[in-house]
Amino acid sequence: MKNNKSYSFRSVRKYLLNHSYVQTYRQKDCDAYHNYKTNEHVLVPYQEGSYTEDEILQLFKISKGTELPCEIELCRFKLFIHQQSNT
């Protein structure tokens, strides 16, 4: 059974900023978050909405900006969200 929990775009942006990404520019309806270690970027919609876990996994999969494999990046994201909810 798959968990279909959703996460806001805001939490994704917060995660990226907390993990050495820098918001650099806006492309169409997305903000670009640049990772200087990989010299690539991740695009996240600037309007509010939410992603399911599958959509976040896909975001990390198509992005070259993540340092880790997409499945591990998703686990790190979920850990970040869990830590934020406990503070």
Side-chain angles (χ1 to χ4, degrees), residues 49-81:
S50 62
Y51 283 126
T52 63
E53 285 186 16
D54 290 338
E55 290 170 327
I56 292 175
L57 185 63
Q58 190 65 24
L59 174 75
F60 291 148
K61 188 179 283 186
I62 62 172
S63 170
K64 295 177 184 170
T66 57
E67 299 173 48
L68 302 169
C70 58
E71 293 84 2
I72 297 173
E73 196 76 45
L74 177 62
C75 291
R76 189 165 83 161
F77 171 75
K78 289 165 51 175
L79 178 62
F80 172 78
I81 296 301

Side-chain angles (χ1 to χ4, degrees), residues 8-24 30-36 38 40-46 51 56 59-60 63-68 73-74 76-78 80-81 84:
S8 70
F9 294 157
R10 183 179 188 176
S11 63
V12 174
R13 290 191 293 264
K14 196 173 190 181
Y15 166 77
L16 293 172
L17 291 172
N18 190 272
H19 284 85
S20 303
Y21 291 82
V22 178
Q23 185 177 356
T24 54
C30 296
D31 288 329
Y33 290 84
H34 187 78
N35 183 334
Y36 287 100
T38 62
E40 295 286 346
H41 63 274
V42 176
L43 296 175
V44 179
Y46 61 82
Y51 283 126
I56 292 175
L59 174 75
F60 291 148
S63 170
K64 295 177 184 170
T66 57
E67 299 173 48
L68 302 169
E73 196 76 45
L74 177 62
R76 189 165 83 161
F77 171 75
K78 289 165 51 175
F80 172 78
I81 296 301
Q84 292 295 307

